[in-house]
Amino acid sequence: MDLKLKDKVILITGASKGIGLAVGKYLASEGANISICARNADEVAAAVKEIKSLGVKAYGSVVDVKDTDSLTAWVENSAKELGGVDGFVSNVSAGGADAEESGWRMNFETDVLSVWKTVQAVLPHLEKSASPSIVNISSTAALEAFAGAVPFGTFKAGMLNYFGNLANVHAAQGIRVNSVSPGPVFIKDGAWDQIKASMPEIYDATVSAIPMGRMAAVEEVCVHVALLLSPISSFTTGANIVVDGGFTKRIQY
């Protein structure tokens, strides 16, 4: 299926590795031009090189998303370098399970405030696109009790509300806004790979709670992000797509 993403410009935060990088490479394989940001200069350079090797244009900047000036500059420079903005994937997160005040502040500034700032920066560019779209990478931790009373799940839940309302606010402008909520995703050298090595009992217990008997491959998340960014999903907005192999037990309707 042609997703009609060729030559579209997609911006992705926190995309030097993990789900963000995988999404960038998947979209590039569909012909999209990609801009990423992350904090580590070497990782940003390596990711940009990897994306460019797929035959598309790619741009990257070293950005701490808590720094408004560098975040805004990345958006503006991306639009200038790549010729506008057609899509934005909000992927960055402080992650973790630090339930101290420092953790709550870090997650709020990274998972909430910086996301709002990025949306504000990309909206003027999206308004000029023929097929503008935003996709929020959330988590099943936003939907059910998981890992305790920690900021990650709390703020992810709040941002589902934000992006859902954003979809309604901007629907008349043709700007579609959706979310994808993955369950546990196994990525080589990623968080679950590290947990498997250091805390195998937690890893095994998590896998056993997934009815399909395994964690997601990252490409199984990427395909939903790509579809939601695609113009062929032109009537889909305000949705939250759960990709979890049955990990969450609620009935989705």
Side-chain angles (χ1 to χ4, degrees), residues 93-109:
S93 173
D98 180 0
E100 300 303 315
E101 182 176 343
S102 58
W104 284 90
R105 289 186 182 277
M106 176 64 76
N107 275 84
F108 173 72
E109 291 180 3

Side-chain angles (χ1 to χ4, degrees), residues 86-90 115 118-120 122-123 126 131-137 162-163 166 170 175-179 225 228-229 236-239:
D86 299 295
F88 167 51
V89 180
S90 178
V115 173
T118 314
V119 169
Q120 296 302 113
V122 300
L123 278 173
L126 291 175
S131 55
S133 180
I134 295 174
V135 175
N136 164 47
I137 305 298
Y162 167 69
F163 281 105
L166 200 67
H170 292 285
I175 300 174
R176 299 182 301 104
V177 185
N178 296 286
S179 294
V225 178
L228 290 172
L229 287 168
T236 302
T237 196

Side-chain angles (χ1 to χ4, degrees), residues 39-68:
R39 290 178 296 176
N40 185 289
D42 290 341
E43 291 179 353
V44 168
V48 168
K49 182 178 180 180
E50 199 170 349
I51 293 169
K52 280 184 176 179
S53 72
L54 296 170
V56 300
K57 297 177 184 178
Y59 176 78
S61 289
V62 177
V63 174
D64 181 341
V65 294
K66 299 189 300 298
D67 181 338
T68 303

